[in-house]
């Protein structure tokens, strides 16, 4: 098949090309945060700066049906890669508070009152909660640049923050917006 520039241009014009800045990330409030006075998750939609969508990965093994000759690689299980997002931190630090409380809902990492002191939910220091209490659904919708309807959607069930990365502060960063990296 020979390459035809007119056909190529026609296909691009007909379908358009997706843009990576037309997305929306929605987090359903996890049960552990339901009755707390935190930033509404609908407000997090506007403060999500970027999202790194998870890839698709398989663990593989090499196998052979014969004692000699080349081996073949076969998949053994599906691996869920971490999903990450960066959130702009608001002037009242509600975004940081939301994710720190969510992490606190997973495990009580406050031992300032002693190792056997309980938090508000009854967990002692470093005790983990049940996954049903802190997991939630995150939906990332990606929109087409030439259509208004949603064209692709990632639904991440059983999601919870695995890590909140560090934030570097510096007097030199006068015009920088504080960004909170979160891995799910």
């Amino acid at each position: 098949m020979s390459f035809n520039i007119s056909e190529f241009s026609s296909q691009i014009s007909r379908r358009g090309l997706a843009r990576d800045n037309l997305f929306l990330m929605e987090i359903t409030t996890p049960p552990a945060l339901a009755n707390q006075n935190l930033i509404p998750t609908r407000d997090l939609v506007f403060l999500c700066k970027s999202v790194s969508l998870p890839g698709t990965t398989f663990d593989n093994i090499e196998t052979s049906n014969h004692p000699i000759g080349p081996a073949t690689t076969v998949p053994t299980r599906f691996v869920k890669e971490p999903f990450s997002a960066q959130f702009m931190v608001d002037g009242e630090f509600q975004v940081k508070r939301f994710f720190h409380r969510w992490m606190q809902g997973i495990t009580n990492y406050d031992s300032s009152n002693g190792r056997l002191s309980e938090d508000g939910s009854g967990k002692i220091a470093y005790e983990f909660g049940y996954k049903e209490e802190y997991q939630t659904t995150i939906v990332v919708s990606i929109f087409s640049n030439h259509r208004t309807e949603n064209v692709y959607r990632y639904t991440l069930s059983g999601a919870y923050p695995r890590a909140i990365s560090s934030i570097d502060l510096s007097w030199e960063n006068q015009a920088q917006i504080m960004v909170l990296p979160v891995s799910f």
Side-chain angles (χ1 to χ4, degrees):
M1 181 169 145
S2 63
F3 180 74
N4 182 327
I5 192 72
S6 303
E7 188 177 335
F8 175 77
S9 296
S10 171
Q11 289 293 328
I12 298 298
S13 295
R14 186 166 57 90
R15 290 190 173 102
L17 295 173
R19 308 250 184 231
D20 61 3
N21 66 336
L22 301 174
F23 71 94
L24 197 67
M25 180 178 163
E26 300 169 283
I27 300 174
T28 303
T29 304
L33 301 179
N35 297 323
Q36 297 191 27
N37 188 19
L38 297 171
I39 187 171
T41 55
R42 69 178 179 275
D43 290 357
L44 291 175
V45 168
F46 304 108
L47 296 170
C48 183
K49 179 181 181 213
S50 65
V51 172
S52 179
L53 297 173
T56 303
T57 306
F58 295 109
D59 275 345
N60 295 286
I61 60 168
E62 286 191 7
T63 184
S64 178
N65 292 335
H66 306 288
I68 59 173
T72 183
T73 304
V74 294
T76 57
R77 70 182 179 117
F78 181 76
V79 178
K80 292 183 179 180
E81 289 187 350
F83 160 76
S84 61
Q86 292 190 345
F87 294 88
M88 296 177 286
V89 178
D90 60 290
E92 297 173 355
F93 300 101
Q94 289 188 31
V95 170
K96 281 184 64 60
R97 193 170 292 113
F98 177 85
F99 285 105
H100 283 188
R101 291 249 178 97
W102 194 354
M103 293 288 275
Q104 189 80 25
I106 296 170
T107 184
N108 173 18
Y109 55 85
D110 180 10
S111 61
S112 60
N113 293 326
R115 296 254 319 141
L116 298 177
S117 63
E118 293 183 2
D119 66 357
S121 67
K123 288 193 298 281
I124 61 171
Y126 304 107
E127 179 182 3
F128 284 87
Y130 294 102
K131 194 170 182 184
E132 302 83 42
E133 297 170 355
Y134 58 79
Q135 71 182 1
T136 192
T137 301
I138 297 175
V139 177
V140 178
S141 302
I142 306 168
F143 299 92
S144 174
N145 63 335
H146 67 288
R147 293 188 209 143
T148 56
E149 72 268 10
N150 184 353
V151 294
Y152 210 86
R153 177 175 283 162
Y154 280 80
T155 301
L156 304 147
S157 301
Y160 62 92
R162 292 172 49 143
I164 297 174
S165 298
S166 61
I167 299 173
D168 293 328
L169 304 177
S170 172
W171 288 105
E172 297 170 355
N173 296 339
Q174 293 179 13
Q176 297 293 327
I177 295 171
M178 185 182 290
V179 176
L180 183 71
V182 181
S183 177
F184 297 93

